[in-house]
């Protein structure tokens, strides 16, 4: 019998057991992950490069080593040695980077498939929304014309420029506004180093970029009208960057990519643990995100036809763990009681200090964090949605690997967070995958025939619209996972406890290798040649994730003396693609009138963009976040009991009146004056 080994592929999250001796590329294909290759696996094109990660990965219970794949072949070594610049630029070494067509599996291994090697690029659903933003950037440009120095007035170059700038600012801004005097102005050291050369080459006619009316960060020859900035949302799973014109507010380019840190752990706790366990753990995590930001900056600048050096400011947001890793602050205390971050307040840092490839004098603004696991991304969400300006009580939920929740109105805001795990985004589900071509993204089940129909990313319409639907499906992504569980419940295939019902008349319901399951797509409909089911274990994973999210929401509502919110706002790339009716049917979100449940897209990214373009919003959010009441769920003595009640569909005791008509076998319980599912 052929020996089998565990293989984990990141960032797709696909995993499984494959035969010993199978090439990494073939093993990936068998698990539904395509790796590029155009040389018929002759080790000449180099498009199938992968990285072999080393270390103990407790989450998967494996020890991944370079020795767990066959040694580097002569062909591989020859190919890689001809490309020393590639290895140097990427920071890779031979043995760590392999050609997947040549490396063969001989032990458990975790493999990182770089973005350029992926055959089917993930669709990163973090597009910016169309919002009206009042443009008041932190950086303003002023044209300054000076007379050159002479022996009678040998004033130093900086002082001469500062005096001219004072005059120019007064002319542009008017005398009513309080502006700094020339001797109060500062100039960035890096900018100062090239000042004398620039002034003389420009014949003393320059455009000066001033940050926050107090520091000169760029001096350019002649008249230059536009400045550029970037807003970035660093999520646990995906990173999204938006390049903007700081004068007009126009978004010039948007780029996104998987967060490379996912190789070291799919959720924030596993990344904190990685940083604790390995001496170079934080360094690896930090360098990985900086490298990705620089790559996205380069791509966005190319798309906008500008140079990266023309970008003068960035605003960055992310959860507290991403925030600490970005700033190279050790996150260990975030994961240990009493869960204290290194800093709450917002920060301004020079780009060169973080190694970000924009203008070296440029400013990096990081929004404030709120609590241990309620980070700058939640601050940005508040900026974008403004619950602090409402009379109604709004519940904002950023749904992701870690969910952040904010509840309240202009009088009071409370917040908390909860790990939902990666199951909602496809991981820990047997055939789960991230949103990419070939992923099932929508599912409906006929409650009479128990037959499904589904939509696949990259294919128009439903599978039932095609007479001969074959070879398209690779797996199932988060939005369809929610659909599938809700439909299994609505159609009566699983009960309110999430258990498969026995004796139903459908060939799709069967007992598989790991328990009962429902087949969504038959093998002939897939490109991996295997049936794609939702298993009992898959359902259980969703129960745990949704129970955590619902319990967090219910806890905030109880602390605020509310039964339900007036409005629910679902944010985040994943939250925007959830079917709100089905999400409520399984109890992922609290009961609420469906017309008052809204998906707003990447609110954290929008908030970062607002803070980039309007400096006044930075002060506003600094003030608001300090007033948000933080609640840590681990301190709630009722959490465990409430969590268990919430594992039922939609809940063991709550009525869910707005979707009651969808719940099978709903009966009244006169003793409880409530509804229960039998």
């Amino acid at each position: 019998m052929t020996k089998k080994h565990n293989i984990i592929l990141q960032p797709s999250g696909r995993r499984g057991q494959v035969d010993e001796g199978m090439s990494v590329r073939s093993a990936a294909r068998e698990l539904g992950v395509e790796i590029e290759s155009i040389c018929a696996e002759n080790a000449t094109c180099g498009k199938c490069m992968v990285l072999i990660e080393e270390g103990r990965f407790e989450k998967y219970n494996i020890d991944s080593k370079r020795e767990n794949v066959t040694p580097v072949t002569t062909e591989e070594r020859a190919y890689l040695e001809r490309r020393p610049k590639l290895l140097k630029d990427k920071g890779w070494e031979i043995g760590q980077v392999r050609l997947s067509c040549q490396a063969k599996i001989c032990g458990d291994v975790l493999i990182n498939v770089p973005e350029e090697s992926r055959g089917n690029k993930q669709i990163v659903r973090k597009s910016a929304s169309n919002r009206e933003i009042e443009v008041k950037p932190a950086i303003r440009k002023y044209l300054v014309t000076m007379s050159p120095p002479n022996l009678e007035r040998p004033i130093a170059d900086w002082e001469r420029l500062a005096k001219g700038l004072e005059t120019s600012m007064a002319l542009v801004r008017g005398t009513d506004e309080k502006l700094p005097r020339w001797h109060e102005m500062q100039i960035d050291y890096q900018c100062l180093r090239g000042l004398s050369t620039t002034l003389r080459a420009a014949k003393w006619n320059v455009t000066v970029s001033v940050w926050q009316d107090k520091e000169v960060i760029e001096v350019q020859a002649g008249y230059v009208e536009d400045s550029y900035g970037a807003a970035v949302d660093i999520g646990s799973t995906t990173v999204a960057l938006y390049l903007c014109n700081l004068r007009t507010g126009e978004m010039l380019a948007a780029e996104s990519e998987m967060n490379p840190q996912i190789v070291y752990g799919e959720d924030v706790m596993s990344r904190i643990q990685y940083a604790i366990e390995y001496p170079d753990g934080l360094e690896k995590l930090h360098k990985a995100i900086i490298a990705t930001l620089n790559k996205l900056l380069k791509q966005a600048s190319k798309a906008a036809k500008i140079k990266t050096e023309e970008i003068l400011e960035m605003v960055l947001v992310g959860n507290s763990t991403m925030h600490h890793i970005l700033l190279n602050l050790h996150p260990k205390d975030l994961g240990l009681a009493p869960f204290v971050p290194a800093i709450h307040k917002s920060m301004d840092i020079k780009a060169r200090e973080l190694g970000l490839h924009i203008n070296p004098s440029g400013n990096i603004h990081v929004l404030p964090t709120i609590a241990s696991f309620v980070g700058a991304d939640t601050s940005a969400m508040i900026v974008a949605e403004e619950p602090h300006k409402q009379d109604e009580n709004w519940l904002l939920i950023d749904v992701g690997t870690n969910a952040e929740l904010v509840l309240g109105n202009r009088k009071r805001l409370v917040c908390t967070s909860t790990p939902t795990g990666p199951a909602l985004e496809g991981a820990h589900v047997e055939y789960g995958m991230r949103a990419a071509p070939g992923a099932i993204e929508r599912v409906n089940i006929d409650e009479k025939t128990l037959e499904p129909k589904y939509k696949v990313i990259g294919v128009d319409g439903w599978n039932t619209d095609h007479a001969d639907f074959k070879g398209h499906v690779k797996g199932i992504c988060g939005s369809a996972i929610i659909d599938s569980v809700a439909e299994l419940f609505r159609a009566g295939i699983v009960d309110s406890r999430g258990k498969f019902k026995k004796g139903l008349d459908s060939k799709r319901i069967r007992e598989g290798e790991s328990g009962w399951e429902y087949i969504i797509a038959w093998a002939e409909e897939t490109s991996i040649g295997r049936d794609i089911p939702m298993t009992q274990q898959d359902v259980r994973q969703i129960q745990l994730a949704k129970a955590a999210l619902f319990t967090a929401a219910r806890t905030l509502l109880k602390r605020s003396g509310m039964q339900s919110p007036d409005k629910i706002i679902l944010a985040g790339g994943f939250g925007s693609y959830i079917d709100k009716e089905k999400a409520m049917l399984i109890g992922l979100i609290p009961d609420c009138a469906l017309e008052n449940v809204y998906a707003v897209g990447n609110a954290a990214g929008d908030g970062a963009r607002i803070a980039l373009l309007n400096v006044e919003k930075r002060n506003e959010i600094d003030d608001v976040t300090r007033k948000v009441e933080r609640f840590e769920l681990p301190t709630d003595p009722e959490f465990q009991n409430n969590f268990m009640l919430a594992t039922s569909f939609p809940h063991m005791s709550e009525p869910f009146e707005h979707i009651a008509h969808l719940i099978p076998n709903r009966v009244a319980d006169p003793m409880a004056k409530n509804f229960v599912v039998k």
Side-chain angles (χ1 to χ4, degrees), residues 582-602:
K582 292 176 181 176
M584 194 176 292
L585 177 59
I586 65 170
L588 180 70
I589 58 176
D591 188 40
C592 181
L594 285 168
E595 62 269 22
N596 292 333
V597 180
Y598 298 88
V600 295
N602 184 19

Side-chain angles (χ1 to χ4, degrees), residues 33 35 71 141 225 234 241-242 300 304 356 492 510 517 573 610:
V33 176
I35 298 177
K141 283 186 180 291
E225 191 173 27
I234 304 172
L241 180 145
Y242 311 103
L356 289 170
R510 69 187 188 192
E517 60 189 21
I610 291 168

